[in-house]
Amino acid sequence: MRILTTALLLIIAAPVAAQDRGTLPPLGQPPSSTIMAEPVAVMLAGFDSDGDGRATRAECIAGIERSFRSIDTSGKGSLGYIDFSDWAERWLGDRNALPSPFETDTDNDNRITLSELQAKIMTIFDRLDRNKDGVLVRSELLTLDGARRFGGSGIEERSRKRRGGPLPQ
């Protein structure tokens, strides 16, 4: 009977102890998601024009053009950095989402053309296309958020490791 009581207490106490260490969410709240998608990945998935759950290179190139034209309403053929921020907010969900206008503007003229935007987004497409078949499927667009998965910020731990400093306990 004592063994059963002790085992029962351990089973009940383990989640509470884990919650106290910050590895579990507060009682009554669902756990944080450990599977995430980059804003560009979400946008590229939305360019699946035929609804087959796959975004081809051609669909993405056409989608980038549609997204560009939705901001370049005057037909100038290029976006200034403020217009690019408007594009990022509409199509990526946030004005500060990556890619930044500075890395997209390859000729450094403070304007982003459709070809510059397509080139930048397609390099991201190529990175996400793990099997290199020219098609993005949903599983290729997801990433694991190791920081949440393992209970830390991730960035802080990696930074301290690089500097050789102690990790937080």
Side-chain angles (χ1 to χ4, degrees):
M1 183 69 174
R2 270 189 172 154
I3 294 174
L4 184 59
T5 304
T6 304
L8 186 57
L9 286 172
L10 287 174
I11 291 170
I12 293 170
V16 173
Q19 185 177 354
D20 290 342
R21 288 192 311 270
T23 57
L24 288 178
L27 293 176
Q29 290 186 3
S32 296
S33 176
T34 57
I35 299 176
M36 318 256 323
E38 296 176 47
V40 171
V42 174
M43 178 186 72
L44 290 170
F47 292 154
D48 170 22
S49 59
D50 61 6
D52 65 354
R54 301 160 35 96
T56 65
R57 286 186 77 77
E59 286 174 319
C60 290
I61 289 170
I64 296 164
E65 182 174 357
R66 281 191 310 274
S67 74
F68 184 89
R69 302 264 182 251
S70 74
I71 301 298
D72 183 26
T73 56
S74 64
K76 290 181 189 174
S78 65
L79 305 175
Y81 286 9
I82 293 173
D83 291 334
F84 183 85
S85 293
D86 294 341
W87 176 86
E89 183 174 39
R90 181 179 296 174
W91 292 96
L92 303 177
D94 189 275
R95 290 181 166 284
N96 298 310
L98 297 176
S100 79
F102 306 106
E103 64 182 301
T104 306
D105 179 17
T106 55
D107 62 4
N108 298 314
D109 65 351
N110 297 323
R111 307 286 304 169
I112 296 161
T113 63
L114 173 60
S115 62
E116 286 175 318
L117 183 61
Q118 286 174 327
K120 182 60 187 174
I121 300 297
M122 294 315 290
T123 60
I124 297 169
F125 179 102
D126 292 339
R127 176 178 53 83
L128 294 169
D129 184 17
R130 289 191 294 257
N131 64 0
K132 305 302 179 205
D133 65 351
V135 177
L136 295 177
V137 295
R138 300 309 192 255
S139 62
E140 291 176 309
L141 301 175
L142 300 176
T143 58
L144 290 177
D145 184 1
R148 289 188 192 185
R149 184 173 179 207
F150 299 110
S153 70
I155 295 170
E156 183 177 311
E157 284 84 355
R158 287 190 297 274
S159 174
R160 286 189 178 163
K161 279 182 186 177
R162 275 190 229 118
R163 292 191 315 250
L167 294 175
Q169 298 300 320

